[in-house]
Amino acid sequence: MSNPQQLRYSKEHEWLSPAEDGVATVGITEFAANALGDVVFAQLPEVGSTVAAGETCGELESTKSVSDLYSPVGGEVTEINQDVVDDPSLVNSEPFEGGWLFRVRIAEEPADLMSADEYAAQNAG
């Protein structure tokens, strides 16, 4: 499993893209997608809502379980991925590409986000 080096990762298995004009993209990692199993429903935060770093902002339902979705940063949601709402399996098939979940204008970025290597080490074993 290869985690893109340009992304940063949370302990809760979300990834964060580098911000462009203050807006970053959020998704879940391949590790999390594999652990969840086949995702069949995605409840994403509403556009315009405020999310807080480390707080629940939605949920993903799979054939195995329901898992809370946590925001790795604080800020305002600027866009959701309607393709994932319409076809939640994109979270499994393209976790780092078409399966992104939402975009957020960053107001607060925690210091504990990990590099790809640190995230891989967390999940080793």
Side-chain angles (χ1 to χ4, degrees):
M1 183 174 336
S2 177
N3 296 304
Q5 292 293 318
Q6 76 276 17
L7 303 178
R8 298 204 311 176
Y9 301 87
S10 73
K11 291 178 182 144
E12 291 81 22
H13 309 288
E14 281 79 25
W15 58 261
L16 180 74
S17 73
E20 293 181 24
D21 295 325
V23 176
T25 302
V26 174
I28 68 164
T29 65
E30 185 177 8
F31 178 88
N34 289 339
L36 273 172
D38 295 333
V39 176
V40 295
F41 177 76
Q43 177 192 351
L44 304 178
E46 291 184 26
V47 172
S49 66
T50 300
V51 294
E55 298 293 319
T56 302
C57 63
E59 64 182 31
L60 297 173
E61 183 178 330
S62 73
T63 54
K64 290 181 182 179
S65 67
V66 175
S67 179
D68 286 334
L69 174 64
Y70 298 91
S71 180
V73 294
E76 180 184 349
V77 176
T78 62
E79 182 180 358
I80 64 162
N81 187 347
Q82 188 62 45
D83 290 341
V84 165
V85 174
D86 296 340
D87 182 7
S89 70
L90 288 171
V91 171
N92 299 105
S93 63
E94 301 178 35
F96 296 113
E97 294 149 357
W100 63 273
L101 300 176
F102 64 94
R103 293 199 169 107
V104 59
R105 181 168 307 285
I106 299 174
E108 169 205 357
E109 187 169 336
D112 64 348
L113 293 177
M114 296 175 275
S115 69
D117 293 337
E118 291 167 330
Y119 180 74
Q122 169 192 283
N123 299 310

